[in-house]
Amino acid sequence: MKPTTTREARPDHRHDTGVRNIVLVGHTGAGKSALAENLLIAANGGGAAAGHATSTRHTDHDDGESRQRTISLTVLSTMHRGLRINLLDTPGLADFIGDLRAGLRGADAALFVVSALDGVDGFTRLLWDECAAAAMPRAIAITRLDRPRADFTSALINCQEMFGAGVLPLYLPVVSRSRPTEPTPDGQRHRLVDLLAQAGIDDTDGGTDTDTDGDGDGDGWPGRAAAARNALIEGIIAESEDESLLDQYLAGTALPTKLLLDDLETAVARGRFHPVVATAGSGPGAPGVTELLDLFTRAFPSPFEHPVPAASRPDGSSCPVPSGGPDGPLAAEVIRTTTDPYVGRVCLVRVFSGTLRPDTPVHVCGHGRAERGHPDHDEDMKIGAISHPMGRSAQQFVEMCQAGDICAVSKLTTAETGDTLSSPDAPILFEAWRMPEPQLPMAIRARTKSSEDKLSTALAQISAEDPSVTVEHNAETGQLVLWCMGEAHGDMIIDRLENRYGVAVDRMPIRVPMRETLRGPARGTGRHVKQSGGHGQYAICHIEVEPLAAGSGREFCDEVVGGAVPRQFVPSVEKGVWRQFDLGVAAGFPLVDLRVRLLDGKAHSVDSSDVAFQAAGALALKDAARAAGILLLEPVLSVCVLTPDEHVGPVTSDLAARRGRVVGIAPASDTAQAGAGGRNRTMIRAEVPETEMLRYAVDIRSLTQGIGTFSRNHLRYEPMPDHLAAEYLAARAAE
């Protein structure tokens, strides 16, 4: 455990504006939102917490019980020990990863919230690896110790197994039987022992039965506390690399708490040491709440120890890195946008450099999301009022927001999530944060004709607020498709359309754009002869059609001999054939990979016309298709699935059941697509028909306990099996 270097100097704090930005991360049900509100209550001296905006919580009803879950990023701001603490409460479902990534972008450290009942789930572990790749400082709060069956020791071991080295408790929870005058949900009382200060290690609550893990055996727990303290000190020394503190520890010298706290801050800031604090109950006196607030102010890094995101000029040229101080050039980012029915658009802004003031012009720049329906834009705007968000509609208006802080800004009417705010004289653009592609399609249509215009406006607002949703107008199928992160994400969008924008929509079955071709060569005749008085229509043509190799496109050859079809009408036949190619002949999908030869025909000196030969060309193609038979082609996707090693078997079996072909399996660490989640994971490459992948975004989570992800790209078209093609055509005919 011997350090290799002396303790490095801490970063310069002269520009520290006294802010700590902490993002709360954890699975749904871990208690993030309840913990955030308890922290606000405690910081406010027992006063009521501002709470969450009603739009950020959703109520689930399960077996007669209601349970709320957070579905949007919420910022709650408070003060403790002279520092402003911004708590960024994030959703716990992978469906709302857009807001979760926004919280990670706006924060300087992460508090992972783990339930003592449920432990660490796969999605939380994935986010831990992502934070580790970015060297983001992390701590852990183990919640719900006051619930029956809660076990701190088991939860701690689970965190150490899932999160790796450096996970050590700062406090040990002490459990004793409740007195009749102070009942608790589990019939026990909880308090914490400070391992660094050694406060309360010898106190056994007047002889009541006391234990650290709730097993009912109180014998020897001070010894376990001493062992835990030694492990904690050794962990701090190892990660802070303080040789002087190591010498004192090995010599048996009493270590000053102040020196331990200084080294604790160094160890946490480096992102390699992760203190654990247990919490139980609610209210200002709940164990662990004040301890967490103290941890935020004493051990979490200031915003100026967090690197400013990479930036460039809007034209792509390089620019100096913003200083990060309040006196430097303005560099801020919109991490979330919302629409208020009275105020209009409100932007949640993280200021990385400079100072933001009300009623001042800023340059708003957003690039790189055009493929998701977010066009590039560069324009100057004047911002409105600035406030510190306090949760549910409560806000504290301020005269400025300095570097390192988070604020809410009004009047940025066209700003979108992910946009960069900078000085109009020196505009910059931050590199966009990593966002997975939405992979669950959901087709919708307005319930009434009068709602169609309102639907377009509402979807434009939603896509501006949420970069994880993509709106697609599919020209081939004629459907309006929302690409979402999952079912819960899609439900939230539908709910928002109906309740916020007053637009009722219906969900429709997804149509996959197919192609048609012919099974073999064939000849066809198109006869368009009509005489109903006056000028008639007369055109006859004979064609031969033959399939080409996949991807060859389409060809038209004029092989008429002797002028059977006048030269001026050959282009008309070709035009009619191409039009029928686009319309298809069986299910309305375009025909591909065919060569058409015009062999013969007949014309009339008076009744033949351009229109007549166009119709004859289309009829000839239909006749040839009936003779040859139609082959339905379905799109095939190139799919890359990133899954934990232990789920490779179920995933490959599932892909095979979807008519997929696995073409490669490799450790994720060997692939560029793995990103931060390559540890103990495997990349599976496969080719799968698109019709089998419509709900894969939901199914892959079930197969991999919420950890698996995938990407897909169009590869080619292949013939659909005859029995499936027959079922598909029958379903299309019934629509």
Side-chain angles (χ1 to χ4, degrees), residues 358-371:
D359 299 320
T360 56
V362 297
H363 184 79
V364 181
C365 182
H367 285 182
R369 301 184 189 271
E371 72 281 359

Side-chain angles (χ1 to χ4, degrees), residues 46-118:
H52 284 43
T54 56
S55 62
T56 67
R57 305 298 295 277
H58 175 78
T59 301
D60 288 333
H61 297 277
D62 185 16
D63 297 330
E65 296 184 2
S66 63
R67 176 175 60 87
Q68 284 194 325
R69 69 184 183 198
T70 299
I71 60 174
S72 299
L73 173 67
T74 305
V75 177
L76 302 97
S77 183
T78 189
M79 300 292 296
H80 183 71
R81 297 188 182 275
L83 294 180
R84 175 170 299 283
I85 299 176
N86 294 319
L87 299 173
L88 291 83
D89 184 20
T90 62
L93 285 177
D95 286 21
F96 305 107
I97 196 170
D99 278 38
L100 194 150
R101 289 272 167 77
L104 293 175
R105 181 68 162 222
D108 305 303
L111 179 67
F112 279 74
V113 182
V114 177
S115 170
L117 300 174
D118 306 319

Side-chain angles (χ1 to χ4, degrees), residues 404-704:
D405 208 349
I406 296 175
C407 63
V409 177
S410 61
K411 291 189 178 179
L412 293 178
T413 55
T414 62
E416 300 182 356
T417 299
D419 284 1
T420 304
L421 309 183
S422 56
S423 170
D425 299 328
I428 66 170
L429 174 66
F430 282 136
E431 181 181 347
W433 64 73
R434 180 172 169 264
M435 185 68 67
E437 293 286 338
Q439 299 287 10
L440 182 67
M442 182 176 64
I444 63 171
R445 69 178 180 189
R447 191 165 297 168
T448 62
K449 286 286 185 181
S450 59
S451 298
E452 291 182 354
D453 292 339
K454 293 173 61 178
L455 177 59
S456 298
T457 302
L459 289 176
Q461 292 277 7
I462 289 175
S463 62
E465 296 176 6
D466 187 355
S468 65
V469 61
T470 299
V471 181
E472 175 192 4
H473 296 268
N474 194 307
E476 290 193 38
T477 64
Q479 288 189 314
L480 175 62
V481 180
L482 301 182
W483 288 88
C484 312
M485 301 304 303
E487 288 184 314
H489 190 208
D491 292 341
M492 182 270 289
I493 295 173
I494 297 298
D495 180 75
R496 189 169 294 177
L497 285 171
E498 295 184 356
N499 296 322
R500 181 188 294 183
Y501 299 100
V503 181
V505 298
D506 294 320
R507 302 192 191 194
M508 308 299 296
I510 289 288
R511 298 174 183 169
V512 176
M514 304 281 192
R515 295 290 185 266
E516 300 174 8
T517 192
L518 301 188
R519 293 182 178 273
R523 292 197 173 197
T525 299
R527 180 182 179 87
H528 185 72
V529 178
K530 291 187 177 180
Q531 185 68 49
S532 57
H535 188 70
Q537 299 183 41
Y538 188 93
I540 298 175
C541 62
H542 303 280
I543 65 170
E544 183 178 67
V545 181
E546 61 177 319
L548 300 176
S552 299
R554 57 190 187 182
E555 299 178 11
F556 182 88
C557 303
D558 175 17
E559 298 182 2
V560 175
V561 178
V565 177
R567 306 302 328 148
Q568 68 270 25
F569 293 134
V570 171
S572 302
V573 176
E574 182 179 5
K575 187 175 181 180
V577 168
W578 290 156
R579 180 181 298 169
Q580 195 62 48
F581 259 75
D582 295 335
L583 294 175
V585 293
F589 297 115
L591 280 161
V592 296
D593 302 331
L594 294 174
R595 177 184 290 121
V596 178
R597 293 189 176 92
L598 177 58
L599 303 177
D600 199 359
K602 292 182 180 180
H604 190 276
S605 59
V606 176
D607 292 340
S608 291
S609 64
D610 171 67
V611 174
F613 271 99
Q614 286 188 42
L619 292 171
L621 182 59
K622 288 182 178 181
D623 186 52
R626 282 191 294 268
I630 298 297
L631 196 61
L632 199 61
L633 304 178
E634 61 181 343
V636 176
L637 304 176
S638 174
V639 178
C640 295
V641 183
L642 183 64
T643 177
D645 295 343
E646 60 268 24
H647 298 299
V648 170
V651 170
T652 53
S653 297
D654 178 74
L655 290 172
R658 297 173 187 270
R659 299 188 285 125
R661 295 185 294 272
V662 175
V663 296
I665 300 178
S669 57
D670 297 340
T671 61
Q673 295 92 332
R679 183 169 63 96
N680 299 323
R681 292 178 173 83
T682 298
M683 181 71 75
I684 302 172
R685 301 181 184 277
E687 299 175 358
V688 192
E690 185 175 354
T691 54
E692 304 288 347
M693 296 292 292
L694 298 180
R695 288 185 52 82
Y696 195 64
V698 177
D699 298 336
I700 186 62
R701 292 179 188 167
S702 300
L703 287 169
T704 61

Side-chain angles (χ1 to χ4, degrees), residues 41-225:
I41 292 173
N44 293 335
H52 284 43
T54 56
S55 62
T56 67
R57 305 298 295 277
H58 175 78
T59 301
D60 288 333
H61 297 277
D62 185 16
D63 297 330
E65 296 184 2
S66 63
R67 176 175 60 87
Q68 284 194 325
R69 69 184 183 198
T70 299
I71 60 174
S72 299
L73 173 67
T74 305
V75 177
L76 302 97
S77 183
T78 189
M79 300 292 296
H80 183 71
R81 297 188 182 275
L83 294 180
R84 175 170 299 283
I85 299 176
N86 294 319
L87 299 173
L88 291 83
D89 184 20
T90 62
L93 285 177
D95 286 21
F96 305 107
I97 196 170
D99 278 38
L100 194 150
R101 289 272 167 77
L104 293 175
R105 181 68 162 222
D108 305 303
L111 179 67
F112 279 74
V113 182
V114 177
S115 170
L117 300 174
D118 306 319
V120 181
D121 73 333
F123 182 62
T124 304
R125 173 184 159 191
L126 190 65
L127 293 172
W128 180 276
D129 290 344
E130 184 175 321
C131 291
M136 174 175 277
R138 284 147 286 155
I140 301 168
I142 296 179
T143 60
R144 302 194 167 186
L145 285 180
D146 57 330
R147 300 297 180 89
R149 299 180 295 103
D151 189 335
F152 172 77
T153 302
S154 297
L156 176 62
I157 293 174
N158 180 232
C159 290
Q160 292 170 336
E161 291 174 345
M162 299 294 282
F163 297 150
V167 176
L168 292 169
L170 282 181
Y171 304 85
L172 283 184
V174 177
V175 181
S176 60
R177 295 192 183 95
S178 295
R179 297 181 175 90
T181 56
E182 48 185 29
T184 59
D186 58 353
Q188 297 174 329
R189 291 185 300 118
H190 303 259
R191 63 182 179 83
L192 299 182
V193 169
D194 188 340
L195 294 179
L196 288 184
Q198 303 186 76
I201 288 183
D202 297 322
D203 180 11
T204 58
D205 275 340
T208 58
D209 292 337
T210 305
D211 193 18
T212 56
D213 55 12
D215 60 7
D217 180 12
D219 294 336
W221 88 265
R224 291 198 297 274

